[in-house]
Every structure is written in structure tokens, then in C-alpha cells.
Amino acid sequence: MNSEFISRLQKIEGVLHTYLPSQPNGAWQSLSFGNIDSCINGSHLANLLAPCTNLVDLGGKRWRPLLLVLCAEMAAEAKKSSQTEINLAVEKAYKITPLVEFAHTASLIHDDIEDAADTRRGKPCAHITYGLDVALNAGSWLYFEAASCIKDSNLSDSEKLRLYELFLTELRRLHLGQAMDILWHRNPSLIPTVEEYRAMVRNKTGTLSRMAVKLGLLAGGASLEELEKAGAFAEDIGTGFQIIDDVINLTTGNPGKKRGDDIVEGKKSLPVLIHLENHPQDMEKLTSLFQKARTEGIDSPAVEEAISLLTKSGAVDKAKDKGNEIIAKNSEALASLFSNSSSKSALLIKDLFDSLQKKTK
């Protein structure tokens, strides 16, 4: 890992734990809930905190909040701000990193419920450990809790309003993408077009990347036009990484997950769509394998049979190449947004995506 990232990531962790402490404290409780009844105690609050802090503490790449901070640095530097102004912009950026990381964490809790998944990051999912009712409620709460960092900031009312608008718009888009994904994996015979799949991923996954970049640039003083342009690059970067994740699911298996669980869950990932574009005669066979895998679980022979079919046709490799192409093209465009891709922050953004891609190869 680039040594430049370590101190930034440590600071991000500190901010995350301030706004999502492992144990409730007075300052956090007041910020989150205002004045509440004195009979409410730690055991009540634990039903919100524990499922969320447990998942956050299990790790994750944290590349989205890191990207947020780097984008703030890049925008402030491009505006030829003084060092004091750059430092203020970066401090703003750190303060709002919970918006993207907590939204991501909440989405994982809900994803696992909707997919009936068993594990996340190598441990039982929140709904397995804490129960469906607790996990569902805690995940929903965390979406709202993320915005407490806006309330706690020293920003002007107009700046806070822009942050709230941006954050809530992206959350609505995230849920739109998830709705599309659920529609398709609940119906084994319903196959989206590649265009529909890309639209789904841009919203379900790409929205978090777009949010991170736009929040960072907003903190750094970028214009609305620059925010929109960068957001388009970022959502495609997120799409590229989702495609790579889909490929890994069918090859080595994602960390903390079992190889082929996307088959069990009925996910219509890009390798599936590419295969069916080139081999439409396999539609009935793939549908049957998906249904059998869903019924029999991850150890069903149908899982490996489906993976073998997608691999031998070259669909898995084609999807991988497409994902890497999308990431490379759009990360370069993002780093060059201010026509100075050799600035320190722009180079760090490129290095961040290079390092993430290496981990997928």
C-alpha cells in the first residue's frame, strides 16, 4: 500500500468510530437522538450499534472514503487555493466520510438479507448473528445515522443543504438499482439486456463511487459542472469494479464468500449476459441450473456446472476484460479532470485504482 494512504486511512477510521462508536457515549447519543427518555440504556442502543459496528470493524477496503478525501485535495489544489484553504477543504472532507462508508455498510446489511446470504467478510451475516428484525432495523437506521456528520459540521446552511440533497439523491438511486437487481434474481427466466444490467449497476454500486467523488469535490470547492462530469466517471469506475467482483465470484470466490454464490442467488451478472448473447440456445439450460442451485444450495453440482459453462464459452474472461477497461479509462479521466494529472492528489487517485485492480488480478 502507498504510504501516502496510511495516514489518511487512519484518520478516516478515527472519524468513522467517532460517528459510530462501539459503546454509546453522551456526545454521540445527543448528536444522534437529541433528548431522549432517561430509561433508554445501552442495551437498547446496542440493537442499533452492534450489527453496524461489527460489520465496520470487520474491515473493508475503505477506498470510497479515501477517494472522497483525495478528490477534495485535487479540487482545492486545482483552484490554486492557499495551503490553509486546502487544509480546511480536506478537513471538511474527512468530516463527511461517514456519508459514503455508512451508506455502503447499510447497503451490505440489506443486500445480505435480500440475497439470503450466509456470510460477509468471512463471518456470519448480521441477520444470522442478530436476527432478521434487528439487522433490518439497524441497517435502515445507519442510512439516516450517516447524515449526523453533516449536522455536526461547521459548514454554512447552504453547504449543508447541498450535502443533504446530494446524499439523499444518491441513496434513492442506490435503492432503484437494488430494486432492479431483486426483480431479476427473483425471476430465474427474466434476463435483462446488457444495457439494463449496466444501468442497474451504475445505480446500485456506482452511486456510492459517484457519491464519494462528488462529496469530495464539493468539499474542495469544485463547480456543479465539474461535480457532474466527475460523477459520471466515478459511477463507471464503480460499475467496472462490480463487474470484476462478479467475475471473481465465478473464479476464486470473493473474500469471505463462497465461489458461485451468485449462481445460488440467481444473479444475472455480466458473464451470464455475455454468454447468452453469444449462445442464446443455452437459455433453458442456464435457467434450469440457476433454479436447481437455488433449491439445493451452494454445494449443488449445478453451481459448478453453470460456472463451467460460462468459463468455457469465454464469457468470464470477456467480462473481466470489460471491467478492467472501464476502470482504466474512467480513472484516468477522473484524475485528469482539472487538466493536471501530474498533481500529487491526481497521481494518488490513479495509484489507488491501480492498486485496487492489482488485487483483482
Side-chain angles (χ1 to χ4, degrees):
M1 177 185 291
N2 189 317
S3 60
E4 290 278 355
F5 295 156
I6 296 174
S7 61
R8 291 172 175 82
L9 287 169
Q10 288 173 338
K11 192 163 185 176
I12 288 168
E13 289 300 313
V15 173
L16 297 181
H17 284 91
T18 294
Y19 289 103
L20 194 67
S22 56
Q23 297 295 327
N25 59 69
W28 168 81
Q29 187 169 308
S30 176
L31 176 65
S32 298
F33 304 104
N35 295 322
I36 54 178
D37 297 293
S38 59
C39 63
I40 296 176
N41 59 46
S43 63
H44 304 131
L45 296 171
N47 263 5
L48 292 175
L49 277 173
C52 302
T53 57
N54 181 59
L55 185 51
V56 170
D57 289 345
L58 284 176
K61 302 182 186 76
R62 303 283 195 264
W63 68 266
R64 295 174 187 87
L66 178 56
L67 178 61
L68 189 161
V69 171
L70 292 174
C71 283
E73 293 177 18
M74 181 172 67
E77 290 169 2
K79 300 302 175 185
K80 295 184 170 40
S81 305
S82 68
Q83 191 57 52
T84 299
E85 290 171 324
I86 292 173
N87 291 342
L88 286 173
V90 172
E91 286 306 309
K92 283 183 187 179
Y94 278 113
K95 192 83 170 181
I96 59 176
T97 51
L99 289 172
V100 66
E101 192 62 24
F102 290 173
H104 174 55
T105 302
S107 74
L108 295 181
I109 293 173
H110 281 183
D111 276 358
D112 289 339
I113 293 171
E114 290 158 353
D115 295 341
D118 295 324
T119 59
R120 169 68 64 180
R121 294 174 179 165
K123 299 292 183 180
C125 294
H127 65 275
I128 302 293
T129 301
Y130 300 97
L132 177 60
D133 49 358
V134 172
L136 183 61
N137 187 59
S140 298
W141 167 78
L142 189 56
Y143 281 122
F144 304 112
E145 179 65 9
S148 64
C149 66
I150 301 177
K151 177 183 175 183
D152 192 42
S153 68
N154 294 320
L155 301 171
S156 67
D157 287 345
S158 61
E159 287 176 314
K160 288 180 179 180
L161 179 59
R162 288 179 70 185
L163 285 175
Y164 280 122
E165 288 177 337
L166 195 162
F167 178 62
L168 292 173
T169 297
E170 298 301 345
L171 287 190
R172 290 192 289 268
R173 292 179 70 160
L174 185 154
H175 284 78
L176 169 60
Q178 184 71 346
M180 296 169 75
D181 194 25
I182 291 170
L183 173 66
W184 299 328
H185 78 237
R186 285 179 59 136
N187 297 274
S189 60
L190 190 57
I191 306 296
T193 64
V194 171
E195 183 181 9
E196 288 174 325
Y197 166 83
R198 289 281 297 271
M200 179 274 290
V201 177
R202 274 197 295 269
N203 285 285
K204 178 183 173 181
T205 306
T207 192
L208 292 169
S209 306
R210 183 173 58 241
M211 184 195 300
V213 166
K214 292 175 77 170
L215 287 171
L217 294 181
L218 189 60
S223 68
L224 291 178
E225 182 182 351
E226 289 164 340
L227 259 65
E228 291 306 314
K229 186 182 292 186
F233 298 145
E235 70 181 5
D236 279 339
I237 292 169
T239 299
F241 278 116
Q242 182 59 58
I243 292 171
I244 297 300
D245 276 353
D246 292 343
V247 168
I248 292 172
N249 185 278
L250 300 175
T251 51
T252 59
N254 301 101
K257 292 279 189 177
K258 294 180 179 178
R259 166 182 154 112
D261 64 353
D262 278 359
I263 302 294
V264 176
E265 293 165 12
K267 294 292 181 73
K268 310 300 170 35
S269 62
L270 189 58
V272 173
L273 302 183
I274 289 175
H275 179 89
L276 289 175
E277 268 194 342
N278 295 308
H279 304 277
Q281 71 277 10
D282 285 343
M283 172 69 180
E284 186 176 343
K285 182 175 184 179
L286 262 181
T287 299
S288 175
L289 290 172
F290 270 71
Q291 290 174 323
K292 186 176 181 182
R294 179 182 286 272
T295 301
E296 297 177 354
I298 193 64
D299 296 322
S300 170
V303 173
E304 289 302 321
E305 189 175 347
I307 291 174
S308 177
L309 191 66
L310 300 174
T311 302
K312 288 179 179 177
S313 73
V316 173
D317 285 339
K318 288 178 182 176
K320 180 180 179 180
D321 290 343
K322 186 63 178 177
N324 283 321
E325 176 191 336
I326 291 171
I327 295 167
K329 175 183 175 182
N330 287 280
S331 58
E332 179 67 34
L334 177 60
S336 303
L337 179 67
F338 296 102
S339 302
N340 186 9
S341 57
S342 61
S343 72
K344 180 179 178 181
S345 52
L347 290 173
L348 287 174
I349 288 171
K350 287 193 282 190
D351 187 49
L352 171 62
F353 289 122
D354 285 345
S355 63
L356 288 170
Q357 279 189 279
K358 286 176 184 175
K359 292 178 181 178
T360 66
K361 292 178 179 178

